[in-house]
Amino acid sequence: MPEEEVEAYTPRHVSRSLHVELRGVDTHVLCWGNERAPKLFLLHGWMDVAASFQFLVDALAGEYHVIAPDLRGFGRTAWQPQGYWFADYVADLDALLARFAPGERVRLCGHSLGANVVMHYAGVRPQRVEALIALDGFGIPGEAPERAPQKLAAWLDSLDVPPSFAPYASFAAVAERLRKNDPRLPADKAAYLARHWAAKSDDGSVRLTSDPRHKRPFPTVHRLQETFAVWRCIEARTLWVAAEASHIAAWLAEGDAQRHDGDRLRGVRERMTQIRDARLVTIADAGHMLHHDQPEAVARAIQAFLA
């Protein structure tokens, strides 16, 4: 069947869309389920949107009030001309919880970038987090301090050339690109996601809704020991969910100058020792977008942990 004729995935649970102001930023939030049910906050990854969790929400058994924002600069949340900083995502989460769960201990789940955000939040606000789930997001490789000059210079150079994304001819073309990046993604789900990842422009082309400023390099060196210091303050019981076919484990091992010696998750396991109450599960036949590839398996892991 040609891409143009693929029928989009039909959600089992329809989301509610709303806009709230968080720290002065117009923020788009999707909510699913009964508002009286236990809350579960979901944070998406880099170049993703809240609607990316639709398949996971549909796979969850039992009742949850799921709350998932488009992070600043992604989806239908406002763009920031001055760029994007990791600490802002942590502060935005703090504001989101104050808005939707004031004074409550919360359950947080994030994927990739979102996983790193929720882990940092749980370390700096340990009293606020009851349970913590990281989906294929376990920090980033550490960097040597000697790289500081070149990193700052590269960032300065990037300010002179405004970044951009190439337009697409149609939503079907966006769906095709999504499937190229993730061959396990079914065609109907790709067609569904394309309508949330992109929007039609006045000239008739289809463009990604994310701010291309996210493509700019980081100006600072990542100091891994600082991340570990934050993680050691986490009090919540923690679940790390790794995808067997993901590139993340190898990326971390290379950055940490480690060899996996037959255990490709060795570097992940070593990092997990920085968290006092953590466990690891793996999802078979899944890449980095494990919540797209195997939503039922991810949902079962989450439910078993939360139970």
Side-chain angles (χ1 to χ4, degrees), residues 50-305:
S52 180
F53 288 115
Q54 181 67 59
F55 319 132
L56 176 60
V57 170
D58 285 345
L60 287 170
E63 278 201 282
Y64 295 93
H65 179 203
V66 178
I67 301 163
D70 286 342
L71 301 181
R72 58 171 58 205
F74 294 110
R76 293 162 61 186
T77 291
W79 292 9
Q80 302 302 302
Q82 298 304 315
Y84 300 91
W85 310 96
F86 183 80
D88 277 321
Y89 294 125
V90 178
D92 290 347
L93 175 58
D94 196 41
L96 180 79
L97 298 181
R99 167 68 172 76
F100 286 94
E104 300 175 25
R105 286 172 57 81
V106 295
R107 298 168 168 183
L108 301 179
C109 174
H111 170 249
S112 196
L113 167 63
N116 291 315
V117 172
V118 298
M119 286 192 295
H120 265 69
Y121 184 80
V124 298
R125 292 279 191 265
Q127 71 282 359
R128 285 283 269 138
V129 184
E130 172 189 315
L132 181 64
I133 304 165
L135 306 179
D136 218 46
F138 318 118
I140 65 175
E143 296 176 304
E146 290 76 17
R147 293 198 61 203
Q150 67 191 69
K151 293 203 69 171
L152 184 55
W155 177 75
L156 285 174
D157 292 342
S158 75
L159 300 180
D160 295 331
V161 183
S164 63
F165 291 125
Y168 291 84
S170 64
F171 287 106
V174 177
E176 185 177 4
R177 177 56 186 269
L178 289 172
R179 296 194 73 198
K180 182 179 179 180
N181 292 345
D182 181 6
R184 295 176 179 82
L185 182 65
D188 64 330
K189 291 182 177 179
Y192 173 86
L193 289 173
R195 296 278 175 172
H196 294 276
W197 278 41
K200 183 159 284 191
S201 301
D202 293 338
D203 61 6
S205 66
V206 174
R207 296 179 181 270
L208 299 182
T209 54
S210 298
D211 189 343
R213 295 181 186 90
H214 288 291
K215 294 170 64 177
R216 284 183 174 145
F218 292 116
T220 56
V221 168
H222 177 61
R223 294 182 285 268
L224 190 57
Q225 291 305 317
E226 292 184 10
T227 293
F228 288 165
V230 172
W231 290 359
R232 286 193 290 268
C233 294
I234 294 173
E235 297 177 0
R237 56 196 184 91
T238 302
L239 175 69
W240 278 15
V241 185
E244 281 191 357
S246 172
H247 67 284
I248 293 296
W251 177 56
L252 295 180
E254 182 180 359
D256 296 344
Q258 297 168 336
R259 295 181 303 156
H260 55 70
D261 294 329
D263 178 7
R264 62 181 307 274
L265 293 179
R266 173 186 161 192
V268 172
R269 298 180 204 279
E270 289 181 352
R271 286 178 171 228
M272 193 171 61
T273 62
Q274 302 294 325
I275 301 174
R276 69 183 70 179
D277 182 11
R279 65 206 70 177
L280 174 68
V281 300
T282 58
I283 304 298
D285 193 25
H288 181 54
M289 304 300 285
L290 67 172
H291 55 308
H292 293 170
D293 298 346
Q294 300 293 343
E296 292 81 10
V298 175
R300 287 194 296 271
I302 291 173
Q303 288 160 190
F305 174 70

Side-chain angles (χ1 to χ4, degrees), residues 38-51:
K39 297 183 181 73
L40 175 61
F41 291 87
L42 301 179
L43 264 65
H44 66 76
W46 188 77
M47 292 306 301
D48 207 347
V49 293

